[in-house]
Each structure stands twice: as C-alpha cells, then as structure tokens.
Amino acid sequence: MKEGKAILSIDSVKPGMSTAEVIFNKLGNVILWENVTLDENMIARLKNLGIETVAVHPEKPKITYVKSQSSQQFMVDYERDVMAVKQIFQNITSGRTLSSQMAQQIVDSVLEHVDAHRNIIESITQVRNIDEYTYYHSLNVALLCMLIGKWLRLDDQSVRDLTLAGLLHDIGKTQIPLHIINKPGKLTDDEFEEIKRHSEYGYNLIHQVDGIPSEVAIAVLTHHEKEDGSGYPMGMTGDKLNLYSKVITVADIFDAMTANRVYHSKDTPFKVFELMQHGSFGVLDPVVLRVFLDNITHYYIGTKVRLNTGEIGEVVFMNRMNLSKPVVMVDDRYIDTSVSKVIRIKEFL
Ligand SMILES: [Fe+2]
Ligand SMILES: [Fe+2]
C-alpha cells in the first residue's frame, strides 16, 4: 500500500497529499500522524508551527475529479443527491429493478467531492430529517466510504466500487415492512430478525444487475458481519470478509452513532471516536479503523468547545490513545483533558 516517500519543503506541499511520517513539533509532540491527507488548513497550521519539510507519499496522477467547491455548492449537491437516493429506493419499493445507471450517476456526483473533506464531515454531522434517515444515511456512508478508500490509498476503480457499495448497502431495507422500519418502540425478536434480513434482501436485489460488480453485491450481503464472527447473516470472521465490507462497517457505525448523537444526546464527536476505538475490539477491522480515526479526527482540530468550567476553548491536539479527551487551548493556556482530573469537555460548539 505504501510506495515510498518524498521529502518536500512546506511551500511545495499541496492539499490532497498525505503524510508519509509522523510530524513532530519542536518539543517532540506529535502534530500529525502518518497517512493523513492534508488540506489547506492543516498546511497553514504546519507553516504557523514552523515546520519546514514534510515527508509525503508520492502523488498519483489525478483523474478528472472536479476541484473542491464552496460549502454552499456542496450542500446544494448533497441535498440533490439525497433526493436521488430516495428515488432509487422508491423505484425498488414500487417493484422496479435497480437502475445501475442511476446509482452510478450518484457515485459520479459523490466522487466530484473527493477533495471536499471538511464539507463532507460537516454535512454528516448536521441535523437530518428523521423521516428520510435511510436516504441521508446511504449517501453519508457512500461519502465516508469514498474518503476511507482514498485514505487507504486504493486505486480509482476500487474507490468507485467501494462508494457504490456504501450507497447501496441498506437497499434491502426497501423490502422490510414500513411499520417495522419506523416503529418507535422496542422491536420484538421476530421484527428484529426481519430487519436483519435486509443484507440478504439487498444482495438479492443487486447481484444480477448489469453494471454492479460481484464484490459490491458481496459487500452489501456481508456489511453486518463482524471481525470476530459475531455478526450476521452468516457469522463470517474477518479473514473471510472483503475490504469493501470492512470499510462499510466502519462508515455505517460512525454515521449511525453521529446521527444518534444529533437526535438523542449531547455527546461530542470525540465521544463517538472513543466508543469506536474502545467499544469495537474484535468487531471492526483494526487497520481500517486506525486509518479512519487518524484521518477524520484531524478535522476536529480548531473546533470550539465549552468546558465544564464554563470556559470556551479550541481543540489543538487529538490524543491518539484517548480520542474523547483532546488538548484544548483556552486563551493562552493548554489544557490536556486526558490528564486533568476535573476539567472535561462539556459541549461541542
Ligand atoms: Fe445495514
Ligand atoms: Fe446502514
């Protein structure tokens, strides 16, 4: 996966390049981990910190992705794509076969935003319309799969197929009665068993459709399998699962937990990272999880938070071993919330 590295002066480092080594500041503290894809803000921060050279992975030739756009344009495209996902789901509910052309058009649109990491992460954490949860969730998982595929340095065709698999992973939910999908209370055992069949229903809906690669259909079938064999429908272990399936599982859990946070509680995204890191032993693929966390957590540097002391500060460093407790700068003081016994982050602003 790694093809050597190039040492570049900071002025030659461009957004989209990824770090080939850990970057330390003058005090020996880690500023950025390896394999983190850089954006303009991160490069500016490195300059501010006096970093002169950066080891990056050699650049691959870019294919015809459109450059990153303004966040307003991104949101217009995002809402349009959610509606297109809804259309695909509704077509299937009304008995039509999947149009792989329609699905590929959404994938094209998703891939156009490949450099808009911040916009993607912001859109995923915004409040959604609960009635249309599945459509937002499908698009979010597609966007996250694309990002993780890039961070894993997969080739362009694999990123495309992975994005398609993310988009279609819950397509089988079209076959589950609505009263079960929308049931507000606790599901009965039978209802839960029915929901669990959406992976198989999804596979059945797409595996014979022209233009859908077989690995994509397999990933849809296995997206609720777990590394330790505790998943469904077959109880397969990690060594039998394809990479797309492992990536979808990470993206799926992150989006579901983030949505849960939006609807139900005031947990910070840091708490979500922490739960993924520590609540998932044996469940998520460790390499995929590490690459995901190392990259995505950097987008929260600069975030404003309120501490339990009432003070407002800015996240300046993510603690890799304790992702829910970053270092926060308040005025000119650095507070390491992983060390302090009394100070903690109360709210994410
Ligand atoms: Fe699912
Ligand atoms: Fe899902």
Side-chain angles (χ1 to χ4, degrees), residues 8 30 33 59 62 79 87 90 99 108 117 123 165 170 181 187 205 234-235 252 256 276 283 285 291 337:
L8 298 184
V30 176
W33 301 104
E59 277 191 290
K62 280 242 166 186
E79 293 295 336
Q87 192 63 55
Q90 287 182 337
S99 159
D108 284 336
H117 300 183
S123 64
D170 274 343
I181 296 267
L187 296 172
L205 284 168
M234 291 161 292
D252 193 22
M276 288 184 82
V283 170
D285 179 89
V291 168
T337 59

Side-chain angles (χ1 to χ4, degrees), residues 84-122:
V85 174
K86 182 176 180 178
Q87 192 63 55
I88 286 184
F89 272 67
Q90 287 182 337
N91 285 351
I92 292 180
T93 307
S94 64
R96 277 174 262 177
T97 47
L98 171 73
S99 159
S100 64
Q101 206 187 350
M102 272 181 79
Q104 293 287 2
Q105 277 171 4
I106 301 175
V107 171
D108 284 336
S109 173
V110 167
L111 290 173
E112 283 182 9
H113 300 295
V114 70
D115 292 326
H117 300 183
R118 272 179 205 279
N119 292 338
I120 292 172
I121 292 160
E122 275 167 25

Side-chain angles (χ1 to χ4, degrees), residues 137 169-170 223 252:
H137 172 67
H169 79 285
D170 274 343
H223 77 274
D252 193 22

